[in-house]
Amino acid sequence: MDKKKNSMASSSSCTDEDSFKTPKAIRVRSCGINGGTNGGTPITIPASPFMKKLGCGTGVNVYLMDRMGKLNASPWAVKKINNKCAARQMAVYQKRLNEEAKVLKGIVHPNIVGFRAFATAKDGSKCLAMEYGGEQSLNDLIEKRRADGLKAFPPANIEKVALHVARGLQYLHNERKLLHGDMKSCNVVIKGDFETVKICDVGVSLQLDENMRVSDPKAVYIGTEPWKPMEALEEGGEISDKADVFAFGLTLWEMMSLAMPHLEMLGDDDEVEEDEEESMEDSFDEDAYYERLGTRPALDHEALGGAYRRMVELFYLCTEEDPKKRPSAAQVVQALESNAPLSQKQSEVIVID
């Protein structure tokens, strides 16, 4: 097994900012997923410089679009292809965005950001407009909490994220027969003081069969390297709904440790000089990092205290190396909603004692 061939999915050769010869609004019609217009009302997508940038991913940027002039209209999050990508990459990202729009259009759930429109600008670039699910990603909140010198999130916040994300995953797995394929804190958006919790970015989702396994033998699990389960790192590993559950467990770990899985050895201080960054890179033990991938990261549960016991136990169950020992999303939801105890027997409801 050569784990070093699995590069982090979040990396990209694209730059962060879109460039424009003349910044101006682009007026388009809401488009059908297969490219034709669906007769919707015209939509004005502002040029990127006139929208607040919310974040970026592999080959795309996400912007906040205020729908000015519409009474009580909620803002949208607009995902656009980064036009500074290399030409050979552009087609790949456009295809991926098109696939994401197809998937998202069929999803309706309170814990998953909703579809709003899929538009094509005059230059052929694609724009996916989505429900604006929250002010910040969970990853943003984790980084802010660490920068402020705080420790783990309160147990109630972690339990709320666990329940709401598990509900979203249960819907994807059981109702839509879809594997999210890239669960992590970056793909969970939070509104206010954990008022709402929603999963986002279904762009690399994979179809599941009736046995909850990825149905297409040619399908590739993308994910993001530190959150990948062992079966996604091994040649010929069988991918099932339990791959999402493993990454879900690591997302809870992020909230308790305020770190990125398997990269905690880099240190906690983000404010480092350039020469210090180079020194850290030189001292980074790459072999140790790749050895840790697909395993359960350490957690100082004693330092956390008894109030975190439920979430620590859930983290341990979800990050079992053997997928068969991990609970399903439906079992997690049932356990959290009923306050029942944990059992590792798959024939029983999982219980958190």
Side-chain angles (χ1 to χ4, degrees):
M1 176 176 61
D2 185 4
K3 294 179 182 176
K4 295 185 181 182
K5 293 182 180 179
N6 294 285
S7 59
M8 291 181 68
S10 59
S11 64
S12 172
S13 61
C14 304
T15 57
D16 286 344
E17 297 296 335
D18 287 344
S19 62
F20 293 85
K21 293 180 180 179
T22 306
K24 59 183 179 181
I26 304 171
R27 192 168 176 79
V28 296
R29 282 189 178 275
S30 176
C31 292
I33 297 304
N34 292 320
T37 60
N38 62 7
T41 56
I43 301 169
T44 300
I45 305 292
S48 301
F50 298 109
M51 294 189 289
K52 177 184 177 181
K53 187 174 178 181
L54 297 174
C56 60
T58 307
V60 296
N61 292 326
V62 182
Y63 300 90
L64 179 64
M65 175 181 163
D66 287 319
R67 297 164 66 215
M68 299 174 65
K70 295 185 178 293
L71 185 63
N72 297 323
S74 58
W76 287 352
V78 177
K79 182 178 288 190
K80 300 180 69 175
I81 302 296
N82 188 331
N83 64 4
K84 284 192 174 182
C85 291
R88 59 186 170 79
Q89 295 176 309
M90 188 71 73
V92 174
Y93 297 139
Q94 286 191 344
K95 181 180 179 181
R96 185 177 293 179
L97 191 63
N98 189 69
E99 290 300 316
E100 181 176 4
K102 285 182 183 179
V103 172
L104 195 60
K105 193 173 185 181
I107 291 175
V108 180
H109 191 274
N111 295 122
I112 304 174
V113 296
F115 174 88
R116 292 298 179 261
F118 189 58
T120 304
K122 291 181 180 179
D123 63 1
S125 63
K126 305 287 179 70
C127 304
L128 173 58
M130 304 166 287
E131 171 191 13
Y132 176 52
E135 299 164 3
Q136 298 181 85
S137 73
L138 179 59
N139 180 257
D140 291 333
L141 295 176
I142 290 170
E143 290 185 350
K144 184 178 186 303
R145 193 170 182 87
R146 184 173 65 241
D148 290 344
L150 300 174
K151 299 298 183 182
F153 284 85
N157 288 348
I158 302 175
E159 290 192 29
K160 184 168 186 178
V161 168
L163 176 58
H164 287 222
V165 171
R167 283 172 176 167
L169 290 178
Q170 178 185 17
Y171 170 81
L172 288 176
H173 297 168
N174 296 75
E175 301 296 325
R176 307 305 305 176
K177 289 293 186 289
L178 287 171
L179 180 78
H180 181 278
D182 196 16
M183 271 309 308
K184 56 186 178 181
S185 61
C186 294
N187 288 336
V188 177
V189 288
I190 309 294
K191 182 178 180 181
D193 186 18
F194 292 88
E195 296 163 21
T196 64
V197 179
K198 294 176 184 281
I199 299 170
C200 65
D201 201 349
V202 295
V204 294
S205 62
L206 298 173
Q207 197 69 43
L208 296 170
D209 62 20
E210 64 277 6
N211 296 313
M212 291 297 181
R213 301 186 183 96
V214 172
S215 56
D216 183 356
K218 296 181 180 179
V220 177
Y221 180 89
I222 302 296
T224 302
E225 198 168 65
W227 289 265
K228 284 185 177 182
M230 189 62 72
E231 63 267 26
L233 296 163
E234 295 175 331
E235 188 71 29
E238 184 178 82
I239 306 300
S240 69
D241 61 318
K242 302 300 181 64
D244 275 349
V245 173
F246 183 89
F248 163 78
L250 292 187
T251 303
L252 302 183
W253 179 89
E254 290 182 80
M255 295 189 73
M256 290 183 278
S257 67
L258 305 186
M260 183 182 293
H262 312 302
L263 287 172
E264 61 271 19
M265 71 282 280
L266 290 180
D268 297 328
D269 188 6
D270 292 333
E271 301 297 326
V272 294
E273 299 296 332
E274 184 175 346
D275 57 341
E276 291 177 338
E277 289 181 351
E278 291 176 358
S279 176
M280 288 172 65
E281 184 174 341
D282 291 340
S283 63
F284 176 63
D285 190 338
E286 188 176 12
D287 290 334
Y289 164 71
Y290 283 107
E291 275 301 312
R292 295 183 187 199
L293 291 180
T295 67
R296 177 191 294 138
L299 180 66
D300 189 352
H301 57 86
E302 291 185 359
L304 286 170
Y308 289 85
R309 181 180 175 185
R310 288 167 57 82
M311 291 300 98
V312 169
E313 291 185 352
L314 182 58
F315 154 68
Y316 271 84
L317 271 182
C318 291
T319 53
E320 287 280 358
E321 187 170 318
D322 182 354
K324 293 184 177 65
K325 293 183 179 180
R326 299 173 206 153
S328 66
Q331 288 175 312
V332 173
V333 170
Q334 190 171 353
L336 292 175
E337 288 182 341
S338 65
N339 274 335
L342 271 174
S343 169
Q344 295 197 36
K345 294 181 180 179
Q346 294 299 303
S347 60
E348 300 178 4
V349 177
I350 324 185
V351 184
I352 301 174
D353 193 2

